[in-house]
Amino acid sequence: MAVVPEQIQLQHLGWRAGFGENPAVIRSWAKKRRKEVVRKVILGPSAAPESIKVVDETDLPDYRRQRNMGAEERKAVQKMNVDGIKDLNVMWTHAMINSSHPLQEKMALFWHGHFACRTQNVLFNQQLLQVIRQHGLGNFGTLLTEVSKSPAMLGFLNNQQNRKQRPNENFAREVMELFTLGRGNYTEKDIKEAARAFTGWGYDEMGQFSFRKNLHDTGSKTVLGKTGMFDGDDIIKILLEQKQTARYITAKIYRYFVNETEDDAHIDHLAAKFYQSNYDLRELMREIFMADWFYEEKHIGARIKSPVELIVGLRRSIPMQFEQEEAMLVFQRVMGQTLFYPPNVAGWPGGRSWIDSSSLMFRMRVPQIILYSQEFNIRPKEITPEMGEGQNYKMTMQVNEFLKKQYARRVNAEVDWKPFLEDFKDTPREKLADAIASSLLMRNSGIDKQLLEKYSDNSSRENYIKTVTIDVMSTPEYQLC
């Protein structure tokens, strides 16, 4: 088995535990033992990340009483929601770009797909984002409970309409199928009984969880072999008691952070420890990043970057500011991953689904569009309204109108090349191309150095570094991490 060079191992860690790191950071890591890097740098402090807020519920009295609004007021609220979700997208993306503890944001991005939810209510989106950012590296049971009690998820999965004598099974089904056990590890009767237990779970006009006891079915239920007068908290406890939940979550984390091709032995080992730790997510990630097998060659450069990872990684490598930061939404949409707009309740499938003939060509052009301030001449695909979105349909159409207006606009970015140029100040001219490729790519053996030389700007050392960098970022290899 080939031994992976230490620099590549550290770059691998930087991408899997975050969004890539620049050469200076990798050099600082190389001075420490790997265990120290994982423990102190990657996992870092357990403090909750700074909250991201674009609205405050105390400032929105009319917003909470939409039933009594006139047409003009409703229109204003819809605009506030559309603008607010765009702002939330931009602010979270900036948090990923600028975070000194990117694993917190990377975990939140993972949970954003796992607990896929679409709501046109900016306050509910903001609340759910705070939950997954705050608990994403904490205890999975706490995270599951907080997500399940969020107005965003309760509304999205119709539990607001779940009441005794008329139980709605949607929420109970997705909690089992997508959030905990996985398909095939429960029965239809389990879902029906669990739905009865979740009756009464909802939220008030202030956007807070509310248990409406008059709507709750207090009768006896049998779920996964256990019988009692269960409520929603009891069902979550029963789901967490199932070792299959630990196995399902561990396997999904493995596919996201390690390799889409599962290794049953490694997953079984991790799942057993995860279960024994009472679902400690920080400990699970420590086990993964500390394992020698995590750094094996077969895992290096084995994942296709998601659109958000691609954009965030590029901007972490080379600092920049867009004249209109909303342009990031257009990049996300063209490449198929718009934050807060998952395609369905199962989230983004990821992997090879990120790449087709048209999207690959665009992804390879992204560095040139940004760093050369080229015109954005790809028309973004429209966001498809979710089934049952009802009154939110018009708001989804407003987002689509915004995306259309960005067509054929130039992407103006103020790029700060200084830190990147500084990383290569001591590199001899003849070794620059290889050094740049090695710093940006997990696998650079396929890069044609002669071709890089041919299309580079040799008018100055600075221009040479810039043009080679952009060319490397425009290769298929840069799409992998």
Side-chain angles (χ1 to χ4, degrees), residues 397-411:
M397 294 302 101
Q398 287 181 24
V399 176
N400 286 330
E401 283 302 310
F402 164 77
L403 294 171
K404 287 179 183 177
K405 289 177 182 177
Q406 306 307 307
Y407 177 69
R409 289 193 176 187
R410 189 173 298 280
V411 177

Side-chain angles (χ1 to χ4, degrees), residues 16-27:
R16 299 306 173 83
F19 306 93
E21 294 296 350
N22 60 46
V25 171
I26 297 300
R27 284 196 298 271

Side-chain angles (χ1 to χ4, degrees), residues 30 111 122 130 137 142 265 315 320 324 334 356 375 433 480:
W111 294 121
V122 62
Q130 182 59 20
L137 264 177
T142 302
R315 295 188 66 173
M320 65 187 73
Q324 290 186 309
V334 171
D356 58 31
E375 197 173 74
L480 302 173

Side-chain angles (χ1 to χ4, degrees), residues 26 116 124 156 170 287 367:
I26 297 300
F124 292 0
F156 183 56
N170 198 23
E287 286 283 339

Side-chain angles (χ1 to χ4, degrees), residues 316-335:
R316 281 181 73 89
S317 296
I318 304 173
M320 65 187 73
Q321 296 294 326
F322 288 174
E323 185 177 73
Q324 290 186 309
E325 288 292 331
E326 293 86 351
M328 285 191 294
L329 278 73
V330 189
F331 282 112
Q332 290 173 19
R333 189 60 203 159
V334 171
M335 292 188 286

Side-chain angles (χ1 to χ4, degrees), residues 194-214:
R196 291 175 55 214
F198 283 116
T199 53
W201 275 32
Y203 52 91
D204 59 25
E205 291 184 341
M206 299 289 287
Q208 300 296 319
F209 173 76
S210 174
F211 177 61
R212 301 158 297 173
K213 62 181 181 180
N214 293 334

Side-chain angles (χ1 to χ4, degrees), residues 253-268:
I253 285 176
Y254 182 95
R255 293 194 301 271
Y256 190 88
F257 287 92
V258 184
N259 199 311
E260 287 193 2
T261 301
E262 296 184 14
D263 184 308
D264 288 338
H266 289 155
I267 292 173
D268 288 342

